[in-house]
Amino acid sequence: MALMALGFFVAVPVAYADDEPSLGVSSTTLEERREHREEEREEREERREDRREDRQQNLEDRREDRQEKLTNELGGRIQNHITRFVRILGAAIERVEKFITRVDARADELDTQGKNTAPARAHLVTAEAELALAEAALVEIQADLTAGLATTTPPTRDELKSLFADTKETLNESKEHIREAFKAVREAVEALKELVEPDDSEDDD
């Protein structure tokens, strides 16, 4: 009897054990979890890559903006510098022209006295020719400056430096022509002085 009871109590847990659900994880579930973790890892990597690309693009954009700003500032400085010199040289040309007008008027007076003013007038012709070349150089500078800056795409720093070098050379050419014109006017003045100095000597006698 006791053996039968013991057998009963032993059999019951065995039966219950057979009825309990399995606590193990199937291979399908593990595979899904692995796939999920792999997807999450790939998504994180993509987000990190996107952030890196965004940062790089932002850096490039800021660099380009800074470069464009510097280039624009350089272009503005070059334009202001050249424009100022063109204005200065233009004023110098006007002064020499007024000088020529006064000397030419003096030559007219001496003509009425029967003086030979041809040598002086030859110097004035030379001066006027030099001024014409100086003015042509200034016109060329303005044209080059306008063409160099008024482009569909902003000029590069190298292009601006090249434009400045070319323009500076033309400015120097214009300055030299003005200098030669002024020299010719002074020679005209000296030629006219020679016409009147003998008369002054006679008056003193």
Side-chain angles (χ1 to χ4, degrees), residues 159-173:
E159 289 173 341
L160 287 174
K161 290 179 180 178
S162 177
L163 173 63
F164 179 71
D166 294 341
T167 304
K168 185 177 180 181
E169 182 179 352
T170 309
L171 280 172
N172 289 332
E173 292 176 1

Side-chain angles (χ1 to χ4, degrees), residues 15-29:
Y16 285 149
D18 293 339
D19 294 338
E20 288 180 356
S22 173
L23 297 179
V25 180
S26 66
S27 60
T28 302
T29 303

Side-chain angles (χ1 to χ4, degrees), residues 74-75 77-79 81-82 85 137 140-141 144-145 148-149 156-174:
L74 177 60
R77 289 197 300 271
I78 289 175
Q79 185 174 17
H81 181 78
I82 294 174
F85 271 97
E140 180 182 348
I141 289 171
D144 290 344
L145 188 62
L149 296 178
T156 63
R157 291 177 67 85
D158 290 339
E159 289 173 341
L160 287 174
K161 290 179 180 178
S162 177
L163 173 63
F164 179 71
D166 294 341
T167 304
K168 185 177 180 181
E169 182 179 352
T170 309
L171 280 172
N172 289 332
E173 292 176 1
S174 178

Side-chain angles (χ1 to χ4, degrees), residues 90-160:
I93 290 174
E94 291 179 0
R95 287 195 298 271
V96 177
E97 287 176 338
K98 291 178 181 179
F99 197 9
I100 291 174
T101 300
R102 291 199 300 270
V103 175
D104 189 56
R106 179 57 176 159
D108 289 342
E109 292 177 3
L110 293 175
D111 280 339
T112 61
Q113 300 174 18
K115 305 292 185 180
N116 181 17
T117 61
R121 292 187 185 280
H123 290 305
L124 293 181
V125 170
T126 299
E128 291 174 344
E130 291 291 344
L131 288 185
L133 293 174
E135 288 179 325
L138 294 184
V139 171
E140 180 182 348
I141 289 171
Q142 294 284 25
D144 290 344
L145 188 62
T146 300
L149 296 178
T151 57
T152 55
T153 58
T156 63
R157 291 177 67 85
D158 290 339
E159 289 173 341
L160 287 174

